[in-house]
Structure formats: structure tokens, C-alpha cells
Amino acid sequence: KVVLDGGFELENGIRVLDTDGVVVENMTAKNYTSNGFFWTGSDRYRGSYLTAYRNGDYGIYAFDAYHGQFDHSLGSGSPDAGFYIGECYECDAVIDTVVSEHNGLGYSGTNSGGELYIINSTFRYNRAGVVPNSGSYELCYPGRSNTIVGNTVYDNNNDEAPAIDVALLAQGNGILMAGSINNTVERNLVYQHDRTGIAAVPFPEEDASDVVPPASELKTPCEETRDDELPDEGDIPDIVMWNATGNRVIGNDVSDSGLADLASGTIALDDKSATTADLDNCFSDNVFTSSAPADLEALAPCDGTGNGGDFEKDGLDLLVLINEQAPAPAKDTYQSTPEPEDQENMPDAATAPAPRFEGPEKPDVDAIKVPTKPSN
């Protein structure tokens, strides 16, 4: 029954800065011009049984924050993302049993990963579902090593939802790895998307501040990769291509996709650019009907050698998708998104103890199964 209402005038519901162990539980933040609940530069954070809706940027998010958890929460009606974790490696974070709907992006994570788990959650009626991504406009690039398991991701084609530019570009996709690498995507139920169900695609960044780092730097903690040794502007290409590489897509149930249930691709900028065959994304044991390229599981299985076929046959035409971006909605669209139904109250909220939060427990990912399709 605790409701924070910004009246579309106040900026943020709860803002947590440079803290250790701050937990926010069992309340609602709505009608803020920026964010519902967020943590920045913080350790050992947790948000549980939170509802954030009709906020003008994000619903619930963490940035440059570590050892965190979001659970039993709802994020709805934000132009950017209902849930976001960004600029951390290794993040040591868990998103579990949340619902994200009517946003630009259900989940967005820029330059985040490493012991980051998105599990047992529902992403629906957004413009796009789950979108881990990369870019030099924030530190700790590229996004990498996310574990996305046991989620229900459906009908993320909502052209009436609020949206920032990236959401317009990603619209109509279920799980879209946009320049994010080395992710594990397993046992998700993904269906009813205008474009792709699960796809690994590049993010072409204009006016980048840096180039893609070498593989030798990918294990470097985020705090050791600051921007004091950036290359000269003249050494940075006009477009830096953040390719989605090394992703493992296994055991998902994907259906009813307009272009392809499973997809992997890149954009050739010149003769030296990577091709789809070079991306090292792999696909095995998925239930699906269509893929781009054709026969994707035979071309790029996760165990064993591919069949040596043609990666160019029926490939994903990314340039067409970029040029078919949806028109931008009015900036105040978030103010009229649907009001959510009543959400689950935290058990024993009035008497529950408040122990210090020391960080999330690592989930038993192997025990998670493909969800059953909801009735609604």
C-alpha cells in the first residue's frame, strides 16, 4: 500500500547512490519523469516486490552496481526498459520472477554480464523483449557472458508502447543479442514476434569513442577498463561494428516468428568485415520452424562440427531491418500506458526481518525447465 506518485513532475521515485547493502521492498513508484527505482555505483543491492509503471525513462535498474538482485517485481510503461542492469563486469546479479510489459524494451543491459542471470521471468507486450547490448557510449564494453534461462518471452511487437531510438530499432524481436557476446540462452519459451524469436545481431555504432577491445581484455574487471587510454579520433572507424559472437542458444522452444525463429548475422562494411560464418554463434536442440540462415543448427551446432553448408542461404537482411524502423511515438506516450493489475504483496511484509543483504545466491540454472505457455 506504499505508493510513490511523481505526478509526471518529479524526476525519480527512489534513487540510491554509492551505497552498500541498500534494499527496497514492497512498494510502487509511478508517474515519474525519469525512473521508478534505481541504484548507481552501489554494492549489495536488492529490489523485491516492487512495481514501477508510467515512468519516463526506466522502471527498475542498476548501473555500475554489483552483487544485486531484482525479484518478484513488475516494470511497465517505460520508453527505455522495464528492467536494466548496465556497465558492470562481473556483475554478480540475478533477475528472477519479474514481469516486464508495455515498455520500449523488456530488459536492456548495456556492457553488462559475468554471473548475470535473467531467469524465470516474463517479458511481453514490449516493443522488444530481452536485449543485452554493447557500445562505447558507456564503459565496460562489450556486454558479455549473460545467462538467460527459463523465461517466457512473447508478443513483443507493441507499436503503441513508448520507445527510445534503440527500442524502435529492436522492435518485433524476442531475445535479441545486439553486439553482446558469449551469452548462454537456454530453455526459454519464445513466441509470436514479427521479426525474430532469438537472434544474434550486430550493433553498428556511429561516433564511437573506442574500438572493439581484443579478446585478451574480456576478463578484465570493469573498474580496470576506464577511458584514460582511448585511441585518437582518427584511429576510430566511422562505424564501429559490435558483432554478437560466441553465443550459445540451446534447448529453447521458439515459434511464430515473422522472419526467423532463430537467427545469426552481421553487416559487411568492407572486404575485411566478419561474415556470419565467422561469428561462432551456435544453436542446438531448439524446437523451431525457421532460421536465418537456413539450416542454422546444422551449420553451427554447439557441439561437433557444422555441415559445411552455405551461411549466405536465406540469411537475415539486417540492412532492410534497420531501414524499416518504426516511427517514433510522442514523448509523453508513457503517461497513458495501461495500469497494471494488483501485484503480489511481499509475504509478512509488516513483520518480516531485515537482515543485511550480502549478495544474490547463484541460481541452480540446470534445474530450470522450459516454461509452459500461459493461458492468457
Side-chain angles (χ1 to χ4, degrees), residues 297-332:
E297 285 201 343
L299 290 169
C302 290
D303 296 298
T305 304
N307 65 0
D310 185 3
F311 276 88
E312 302 305 315
K313 182 181 178 182
D314 298 327
L316 191 64
D317 193 338
L318 292 163
L319 291 175
V320 170
L321 297 184
I322 291 172
N323 292 330
E324 292 180 351
Q325 181 172 317
K331 290 187 177 181
D332 63 356

Side-chain angles (χ1 to χ4, degrees), residues 15-19 38-43 45 61-65:
R15 182 185 189 194
V16 186
L17 303 176
D18 300 324
T19 60
F38 76 101
W39 287 254
T40 298
S42 297
D43 284 336
Y45 64 92
Y61 88 85
F63 178 82
D64 187 26

Side-chain angles (χ1 to χ4, degrees), residues 23-111:
V23 170
V24 183
E25 297 175 326
N26 209 50
M27 63 177 66
T28 293
K30 66 177 183 178
N31 303 340
Y32 286 90
T33 60
S34 289
N35 310 289
F37 304 94
F38 76 101
W39 287 254
T40 298
S42 297
D43 284 336
R44 286 169 281 275
Y45 64 92
R46 177 166 62 82
S48 302
Y49 295 91
L50 302 178
T51 298
Y53 70 97
R54 290 183 176 173
N55 296 301
D57 199 357
Y58 295 92
I60 301 170
Y61 88 85
F63 178 82
D64 187 26
Y66 292 82
H67 318 300
Q69 179 173 311
F70 296 141
D71 64 89
H72 299 90
S73 296
L74 178 133
S76 178
S78 290
D80 201 313
F83 291 86
Y84 175 90
I85 294 178
E87 197 182 283
C88 53
Y89 183 86
E90 290 185 337
C91 300
D92 184 27
V94 174
I95 295 178
D96 189 358
T97 318
V98 305
V99 175
S100 188
E101 60 189 16
H102 305 295
N103 303 288
L105 304 171
Y107 168 82
S108 175
T110 302
N111 302 340

Side-chain angles (χ1 to χ4, degrees), residues 3-20:
V3 179
L4 309 179
D5 189 338
F8 302 122
E9 294 181 355
L10 302 181
E11 187 173 0
N12 300 294
I14 289 187
R15 182 185 189 194
V16 186
L17 303 176
D18 300 324
T19 60
D20 190 333

Side-chain angles (χ1 to χ4, degrees), residues 232-296:
D232 295 333
E233 288 187 9
D235 295 330
I236 301 174
D238 292 337
I239 297 178
V240 172
M241 189 65 70
W242 299 91
N243 275 311
T245 64
N247 296 292
R248 294 174 61 85
V249 180
I250 301 174
N252 302 278
D253 188 336
V254 191
S255 62
D256 299 323
S257 306
L259 295 178
D261 291 332
L262 304 176
S264 177
T266 187
I267 300 170
L269 294 179
D270 52 52
D271 293 339
K272 298 179 181 179
S273 296
T275 67
T276 301
D278 301 324
L279 298 178
D280 196 30
N281 297 311
C282 72
F283 301 78
S284 292
D285 301 324
N286 298 286
V287 176
F288 70 104
T289 300
S290 59
S291 70
D295 301 319
L296 185 53

